[in-house]
Amino acid sequence: MSPYTLADLDQRPDLVPNVLALFATTAQGSGHVVCGIPARMGLEPAAADLKGTLGVLLAMSGRRLAGALAICPYSEEQVTLWGPVIPDPREQPRVMPVLMQELRRALREGGFTSMRSQVDTRNRTLRAWMMAEGFGPWKDMHCYERELAPFRSADISDVQAAARADLDDAARILAECFPDSDHHRPNLVQRENEGYRHYVLRHEGRTVGAAAVQGGGRRSWLKLIGVPRSERGKHLAHRLLDGVLASEARLAHHAMGLEVLDDNRPAIALYEKTGFQRRWSASLLIAPV
Ligand SMILES: CC(C)(COP(=O)(O)OP(=O)(O)OC[C@H]1O[C@@H](n2cnc3c(N)ncnc32)[C@H](O)[C@@H]1OP(=O)(O)O)[C@@H](O)C(=O)NCCC(=O)NCCS
């Protein structure tokens, strides 16, 4: 019989500090577990991050927390995992199956069909654990960040925070640039109600670029930026991103972060030319439920 019992953080709110401490032990570096909530990557985990998850599974050995695994929303079919974090590697072979079995059961019940795990490329241990659990590599991604302070006085007259009347144009551009994303569904008004901010670039009387940003404070997060295919290569995205950075600086946010797939050369060129620096790289591992 397994020496571990399962619990859900919802039923054990007293364990929130323990769970945060557990996630925080994976300091940046070879052991760094890339957080399942991309916007929080590399930041100290906070109670609000746990609230933003779909659930946190706990493996208990008596009263001791032996492992934790947070399930983060990604799409209607897929979730992103944050963890598992198992502080004592000797316990991993026994704790891991307990958490993964319960995870799969919960995901099937919730109607999810697949899961993704963003594993720091330096974290060979976690990668090996995930591969043994049926995960396979999909693509590598990078997390970029830049400070916002130098942008406060920039000229941003052609970049506007999208008004209600601009949201349809912004949605059309984002739908063309990100055909697999559901960000524009059902509409951007709903996304704004969820806390997103949208920006548009106007050029010769037309809207020629759109961006979606979320979060703020220590770091706001560039979720999407796109320019229609027919307008690319004219430095429009560069112009738009400069405007987004300046606008976010005026909102007194400290830094902006983003994630980008390793094979998106134009986007990486854009980010590096606008002063973003690569902070972490992760392998995206995918598994069916
Ligand atoms: C990424 C994207 C926004 C770039 O738009 P764009 O208007 O063509 O980009 P810009 O012309 O402003 O180019 C930005 C910089 O990247 C460079 N660049 C652009 N495309 C490039 C490419 N294919 N290869 C190498 N460098 C490239 C440019 O030289 C430019 O630098 P500069 O202004 O200092 O000369 C656009 O390709 C797009 O909408 N892609 C689909 C959506 C997407 O993947 N978005 C990013 C992920 S969130």
Side-chain angles (χ1 to χ4, degrees):
M1 198 175 123
S2 170
Y4 302 102
T5 53
L6 272 163
D8 190 306
L9 190 60
D10 276 351
Q11 298 151 350
R12 293 294 309 269
D14 55 305
L15 289 177
V16 165
N18 308 51
V19 171
L20 288 175
L22 199 60
F23 279 127
T25 53
T26 51
Q28 285 173 44
S30 63
H32 177 55
V33 177
V34 175
C35 170
I37 307 166
R40 297 288 305 168
M41 274 185 219
L43 298 182
E44 198 71 0
D49 300 332
L50 297 177
K51 285 216 174 73
T53 67
L54 300 173
V56 182
L57 305 176
L58 310 176
M60 306 296 300
S61 173
R63 291 157 64 95
R64 184 176 58 87
L65 185 58
L69 171 60
I71 309 168
C72 304
Y74 184 74
S75 71
E76 278 177 15
E77 292 89 35
Q78 196 176 62
V79 297
T80 303
L81 305 184
W82 179 9
V85 183
I86 300 166
D88 183 347
R90 289 166 306 183
E91 286 189 295
Q92 181 271 331
R94 283 167 295 148
V95 174
M96 187 82 174
V98 172
L99 288 172
M100 295 305 286
Q101 202 179 356
E102 175 60 13
L103 170 71
R104 286 196 148 95
R105 193 202 60 72
L107 293 184
R108 273 196 291 271
E109 201 175 277
F112 293 98
T113 54
S114 68
M115 45 191 173
R116 56 198 262 149
S117 171
Q118 301 182 177
V119 179
D120 189 312
T121 46
R122 297 161 298 180
N123 192 341
R124 292 174 196 281
T125 310
L126 182 59
R127 186 188 172 89
W129 291 2
M130 301 316 277
M131 302 288 269
E133 287 295 333
F135 281 76
W138 181 54
K139 288 184 181 188
D140 282 356
M141 52 146 293
H142 310 289
C143 182
Y144 279 82
E145 191 175 33
R146 70 151 299 154
E147 300 298 319
L148 291 175
F151 270 95
R152 272 194 195 124
S153 57
D155 168 23
I156 52 165
S157 47
D158 50 358
V159 177
Q160 294 148 18
R164 281 283 160 112
D166 299 315
L167 290 180
D168 284 347
D169 277 347
R172 178 181 45 77
I173 291 172
L174 295 179
E176 180 197 320
C177 296
F178 300 94
D180 297 333
S181 163
D182 59 2
H183 182 84
H184 60 283
R185 292 192 197 96
N187 53 53
L188 297 192
V189 176
Q190 177 161 326
R191 297 293 172 207
E192 298 238 323
N193 290 338
E194 290 167 10
Y196 283 93
R197 299 178 289 289
H198 295 94
Y199 292 94
V200 289
L201 175 69
R202 305 274 301 163
H203 182 67
E204 296 172 348
R206 291 171 302 125
T207 304
V208 291
V213 174
Q214 68 179 151
R218 169 70 190 86
R219 183 201 284 151
S220 52
W221 193 255
L222 181 66
K223 188 74 192 301
L224 303 170
I225 182 165
V227 164
R229 205 172 289 278
S230 57
E231 306 284 352
R232 287 182 195 162
K234 302 180 192 170
H235 310 291
L236 294 175
H238 198 151
R239 181 77 203 137
L240 171 60
L241 189 48
D242 277 349
V244 170
L245 290 164
S247 305
E248 289 289 307
R250 284 175 198 182
L251 294 174
H253 301 317
H254 295 287
M256 174 164 282
L258 58 89
E259 60 176 343
V260 59
L261 290 174
D262 179 61
D263 59 5
N264 195 341
R265 302 265 314 271
I268 289 176
L270 167 68
Y271 301 142
E272 292 187 347
K273 294 214 168 180
T274 42
F276 280 83
Q277 289 178 340
R278 194 175 286 188
R279 297 276 193 237
W280 311 275
S281 296
S283 299
L284 283 173
L285 309 178
I286 310 274
V289 167

